[in-house]
Amino acid sequence: MNAPKLRMQLQCPMPQLDFDVITLGHGSGGLLTHKLLDSGVFDLLKNDLLNEKHDGAVFELPAGTRTAFSTDSYVVTPVFFPGGNIGELAVNGTVNDLAMCGAAARYLSLSFIIEEGLSMKEFWDILVSVKYAAEKAGVQIVTGDTKVVERGKGDKIFINTSGIGTVHPQAAISQKRVKTGDKILISGPMATHGVAIMSVREGLEFQTSLESDTCNLNHTVLALLDQFGEQIHLLRDPTRGGVATTLNEIARDTQLGIELWQKDMPVREEVSSACELLGLDPLYVANEGVFIAFVAADSANEVLEALRGLEYGSEAALIGEVREDHPRKVILTSSIGGRRVVNMLAGEQLPRIC
Amino acid sequence: MKFISEFRDPELVEKYITEIRRTVTQPWSIMEVCGGQTHSLVKNGLLQLLPPEIRMIHGPGCPVCVTPLHLIDKAVHLAIDKGVILCSFGDMLRVPGSRMSLLEAKAKGADVRILYSPLEAVKIAAENPAREVVFFAVGFETTAPANALSVIHAHRAGLKNYSILASHVLVPPAIAAVMEDEDVRIQAFLAAGHVCAIMGIDEYYPLVEKYHVPVVVTGFEPVDLLQGILMTVKQLEAGEQRLENQYSRVVRPEGNAEARNIIGEVFEISDREWRGIGTIPGSGYEVREAYAAYDSNRKFDMPLEKAPENALCIAGQVLKGIKKPHECSQFGKACTPQNPLGAPMVSSEGACAAYYHFSQS
């Protein structure tokens, strides 16, 4: 675990409480709910807007700015995984979705659906991670909700976050702007998050030092937009379904062809070994702390250079380009020079027998 | 990755391609038996790199594809109607049964779990003494030792709630069945390297002799496959028929005696139905009488009618290499990976699925 994360855990010890697990009563809206929230939740995440303790947050955005709005739900299992937990995932995920719109996340809502019986210690650890991730990303949690469902009706805890962000003045990010010749960059190695999660899934446990790559990409993206503005045509974070699925969506929607070069695609050694063993293709494995950028061909090298100097971008690579000769298809030139179509996944990626 | 990246080296690949081009003078049809080899040929784009004279025919070595429909129906029946914890390798889940697939059964509330090892299923049985646990033991000779070992472990632990639904198939009888078919025109075989790692290579001498075909035991990486193809082409061009071992870094001629002992302890050879092909004599394993208590077929009363296959699916002809997947009238139309009519469109090792992805280029 990185040092600031650990420091925050030490600085935020769990308050003394007269309950050690979350019960149905904690979601009732009554006395127990208030006890839970007042016991430390509000204190931990405090800011002026949250302190109002109202049903919603009221705020103003800078005049004349475009606003981005996004929502996502988080159901990861296990809730705690190498390199993080569902709390920071829920903050980073929505912050990153906004970043992909070219927006700086300003305000988040945070809603929990908790399965009865979750230990208060685990809930607290998740909250501390939320606080850490929100501070790191520079976003405020301004409203939220807590519901508790009966045991067996949930999977420990589900989180929904929605976020509002202000769009960078120079950002012009849209699928419509993707055009033939655009270069495709990836900000870091693929498939790390998915494999880190797999390594602790029940029945699949294997030894690895891998950690999820969950992180906030907003500072990096905004720094790129400061420098390159309209040269950046499209940004996407290839989460579920991995790089292959995201690029297929773009090829389908833009009616353009995408060419990929396997030899240039960064994958950590441990990740590719694990994928080999598990019968998975890294192209389809989920990412959290990685984004793909479609950039104007003539500035691609400069963007890549800049990205490599930014937070979480040191292993960025140029992995492909947009072509018109195979519309709606993603075609990969394999490391050994063969070519194949990279398709959309038919369902969940299922491991092969041999 | 040590021991893998060397066999994906672009320069070596080019060297072998050039050498194959230089050696070949006429068209040859070579069957790669194993679905893992088909997958690797397609995934790495090797088929387009080969000279047009080399016609690779994709063999029946996809365990998921040849598992009979009624066994999938049994697995679904056990999961849905008998309420067992049904454990399976991942790619079995999407294969359509006559009623539904295991994935649909899971969505309907059945307890279906994806495992990488049957020993995990034994662990699940130990942790859930009140429930029956069934492992869907699919595969060739490669998965047989681990599946047999799971039965031995369960037996040693005194578990009464563990059994396997065995659907094991064997490679050499399948090669013989393919060669006996009058419509088949195959001139050489790449045998499946990992099967031979267990079984050794002796079983293939009689095949070489009887059918006068070169057989080259081959691995799965691009360089393995190209080297195997080159060895095969050299024999074909020279009019020779020998058994050769390209995969000698893994395959010892005698195989793995310990693994074979474990197989022999639990399984005996039996006739076996192959989906799309029919019954091949002596081509499967079933659980021995001594371990009958661990055989789901004997343990559970499963009054199931044998459902007919989809009449439009020509999987049998594809699996025997008589037809290429895209020569099927349903290919890519009524039959796609999202809505498969037959098993070869489901598994990533299935020839139809491989072609579906490949042919779109």
Side-chain angles (χ1 to χ4, degrees):
Chain A
M1 192 189 292
N2 65 27
K5 240 191 239 185
L6 192 64
R7 195 156 54 239
M8 182 151 309
Q9 291 209 335
L10 294 172
Q11 283 165 357
C12 307
M14 192 169 94
Q16 290 289 329
L17 299 168
D18 52 5
F19 49 90
D20 56 5
V21 295
I22 305 277
T23 63
L24 279 177
H26 288 115
S28 67
L31 204 59
L32 273 174
T33 307
H34 286 282
K35 216 166 175 178
L36 175 68
L37 296 177
D38 291 337
S39 70
V41 177
F42 278 130
D43 262 0
L44 192 68
L45 302 176
K46 67 175 174 266
N47 57 59
D48 290 347
L49 290 169
L50 189 65
N51 293 351
E52 289 284 326
K53 298 185 181 177
H54 195 38
D55 281 350
V58 179
F59 48 78
E60 275 182 24
L61 292 169
T65 57
R66 289 170 293 165
T67 309
F69 178 47
S70 184
T71 186
D72 210 339
S73 298
Y74 301 84
V75 297
V76 63
T77 175
V79 168
F80 292 86
F81 49 80
N85 66 50
I86 194 170
E88 57 195 290
L89 200 67
V91 173
N92 290 336
T94 297
V95 164
N96 291 348
D97 283 346
L98 291 169
M100 296 307 113
C101 307
R106 303 266 172 191
Y107 305 111
L108 286 190
S109 69
L110 175 71
S111 292
F112 297 109
I113 296 174
I114 303 172
E115 185 187 22
E116 171 186 36
L118 178 74
S119 81
M120 194 55 209
K121 169 80 176 72
E122 285 179 304
F123 185 55
W124 187 259
D125 286 345
I126 290 166
L127 278 175
V128 172
S129 286
V130 165
K131 176 186 166 75
Y132 164 76
E135 283 186 10
K136 168 95 186 25
V139 65
Q140 293 186 341
I141 312 284
V142 293
T143 186
D145 183 44
T146 306
K147 295 282 191 310
V148 181
V149 295
E150 289 158 316
R151 200 178 256 278
K153 300 281 169 66
D155 195 357
K156 279 196 159 182
I157 184 167
F158 299 145
I159 303 180
N160 173 277
T161 54
S162 298
I164 287 180
T166 46
V167 179
H168 192 285
Q170 268 83 51
I173 292 164
S174 162
Q175 231 154 231
K176 294 192 187 86
R177 299 198 60 231
V178 173
K179 57 174 186 280
T180 304
D182 277 4
K183 300 291 180 197
I184 303 168
L185 308 182
I186 190 162
S187 66
M190 294 192 297
T192 313
H193 174 75
V195 169
I197 298 280
M198 290 281 277
S199 74
V200 288
R201 277 267 164 93
E202 195 184 358
L204 296 182
E205 296 98 332
F206 55 91
Q207 292 284 320
T208 170
S209 54
L210 271 180
E211 294 198 335
S212 163
D213 59 358
T214 178
C215 65
N216 61 304
L217 297 166
N218 54 337
H219 301 321
T220 306
V221 164
L222 292 165
L224 277 186
L225 288 169
D226 278 342
Q227 211 176 329
F228 299 100
E230 292 186 355
Q231 297 297 301
I232 296 168
H233 294 165
L234 183 65
L235 295 167
R236 288 288 294 273
D237 58 342
T239 49
R240 264 180 311 175
V243 171
T245 304
T246 300
L247 292 180
N248 264 290
E249 285 167 5
I250 296 169
R252 191 191 56 199
D253 295 344
T254 59
Q255 306 279 311
L256 291 166
I258 289 177
E259 186 78 17
L260 288 177
W261 307 308
Q262 191 178 33
K263 66 176 171 48
D264 298 326
M265 305 184 85
V267 184
R268 282 192 211 292
E269 178 80 24
E270 307 97 288
V271 171
S272 66
S273 302
C275 285
E276 206 63 50
L277 279 174
L278 299 170
L280 303 175
D281 186 340
L283 272 169
Y284 294 94
V285 177
N287 305 282
E288 281 297 334
V290 171
F291 67 90
I292 289 174
F294 285 64
V295 297
D298 46 11
S299 30
N301 286 330
E302 280 173 74
V303 177
L304 179 63
E305 220 32 62
L307 181 52
R308 284 182 175 159
L310 291 167
E311 187 182 36
Y312 307 123
S314 64
E315 294 172 81
L318 201 166
I319 59 168
E321 66 186 10
V322 179
R323 296 250 181 109
E324 57 185 0
D325 52 358
H326 44 78
R328 295 181 304 283
K329 287 190 176 54
V330 180
I331 293 191
L332 173 105
T333 300
S334 74
S335 301
I336 58 162
R339 280 161 67 79
R340 71 171 156 111
V341 174
V342 175
N343 262 309
M344 199 82 115
L345 212 53
E348 208 179 335
Q349 184 167 226
L350 298 172
R352 294 187 298 122
I353 292 180
C354 54
Chain B
M1 272 170 290
K2 194 128 177 64
F3 306 123
I4 290 188
S5 47
E6 299 91 318
F7 297 93
R8 294 179 184 170
D9 178 41
E11 280 177 29
L12 271 177
V13 165
E14 207 181 318
K15 196 186 124 206
Y16 278 111
I17 292 281
T18 311
E19 190 62 23
I20 291 169
R21 284 210 185 102
R22 198 179 304 153
T23 311
V24 74
T25 63
Q26 55 183 299
W28 298 112
S29 293
I30 304 168
M31 176 177 270
E32 85 278 2
V33 174
C34 173
Q37 292 168 331
T38 308
H39 183 77
S40 183
L41 286 173
V42 173
K43 186 178 163 192
N44 293 295
L46 287 175
L47 291 177
Q48 307 105 296
L49 295 179
L50 288 169
E53 291 90 343
I54 310 279
R55 183 177 147 94
M56 295 307 293
I57 311 240
H58 315 305
C62 162
V64 171
C65 304
V66 299
T67 298
L69 187 60
H70 70 95
L71 264 176
I72 296 165
D73 286 346
K74 279 183 178 178
V76 168
H77 171 70
L78 288 171
I80 290 258
D81 305 324
K82 298 275 200 272
V84 309
I85 301 177
L86 196 288
C87 305
S88 170
F89 293 125
D91 49 0
M92 225 30 240
L93 261 62
R94 225 174 359 231
V95 185
S98 67
R99 201 170 144 201
M100 67 181 92
S101 69
L102 283 169
L103 212 55
E104 288 166 89
K106 185 168 187 268
K108 290 191 169 143
D111 195 343
V112 177
R113 304 187 190 183
I114 298 176
L115 302 184
Y116 275 90
S117 161
L119 297 181
E120 285 293 332
V122 177
K123 207 168 115 194
I124 291 170
E127 288 162 359
N128 296 276
R131 297 191 58 193
E132 284 292 334
V133 176
V134 172
F135 186 76
F136 199 0
V138 170
F140 277 83
E141 294 93 327
T142 33
T143 53
N147 291 342
L149 196 60
S150 78
V151 168
I152 294 172
H153 277 214
H155 182 64
R156 275 194 208 138
L159 296 177
K160 301 272 184 266
N161 61 331
Y162 178 74
S163 62
I164 62 172
L165 186 60
S167 174
H168 274 293
V169 279
L170 309 177
V171 167
I175 292 185
V178 165
M179 288 311 289
E180 293 289 343
D181 195 306
E182 286 176 1
D183 298 326
V184 171
R185 300 271 175 276
I186 289 160
Q187 293 156 303
F189 287 91
L190 303 185
H194 54 197
V195 168
C196 297
I198 309 281
M199 305 304 289
I201 63 172
D202 287 350
E203 301 176 303
Y204 296 84
Y205 285 112
L207 293 170
V208 171
E209 206 148 298
K210 183 167 179 193
Y211 299 108
H212 308 290
V213 284
V215 175
V216 178
V217 175
T218 304
F220 301 85
E221 296 303 327
V223 171
D224 287 323
L225 284 159
L226 292 175
Q227 197 180 20
I229 291 168
L230 178 63
M231 289 162 84
T232 312
V233 171
K234 278 184 173 165
Q235 284 198 49
L236 287 167
E237 291 283 344
E240 295 171 354
Q241 297 94 32
R242 282 179 290 116
L243 177 66
E244 288 186 283
N245 183 6
Q246 178 277 330
Y247 207 31
S248 56
R249 73 179 186 282
V250 173
V251 175
R252 284 174 292 170
E254 69 280 13
N256 181 336
E258 197 171 337
R260 275 206 311 281
N261 287 341
I262 291 169
I263 295 176
E265 166 78 20
V266 174
F267 292 122
E268 60 190 353
I269 290 180
S270 66
D271 296 349
R272 164 68 58 188
E273 183 191 337
W274 294 54
R275 187 172 193 178
I277 294 180
T279 299
I280 303 177
S283 69
Y285 284 137
E286 67 182 22
V287 179
R288 280 184 190 281
E289 187 60 38
Y291 290 98
Y294 302 92
D295 180 357
S296 309
N297 273 314
R298 293 177 172 111
K299 186 169 191 175
F300 297 98
D301 178 34
M302 293 184 271
L304 295 180
E305 295 272 325
K306 248 187 159 180
E309 287 283 353
N310 188 315
L312 295 170
C313 177
I314 60 158
Q317 294 178 58
V318 172
L319 289 169
K320 284 188 283 192
I322 297 168
K323 284 210 170 150
K324 290 268 180 183
H326 59 267
E327 290 162 9
C328 171
S329 63
Q330 305 304 310
F331 178 80
K333 297 183 185 108
C335 185
T336 61
Q338 298 83 48
N339 183 27
L341 294 184
M345 189 54 103
V346 180
S347 168
S348 56
E349 292 174 17
C352 297
Y355 264 66
Y356 181 81
H357 299 307
F358 169 61
S359 66
Q360 291 190 355
S361 65

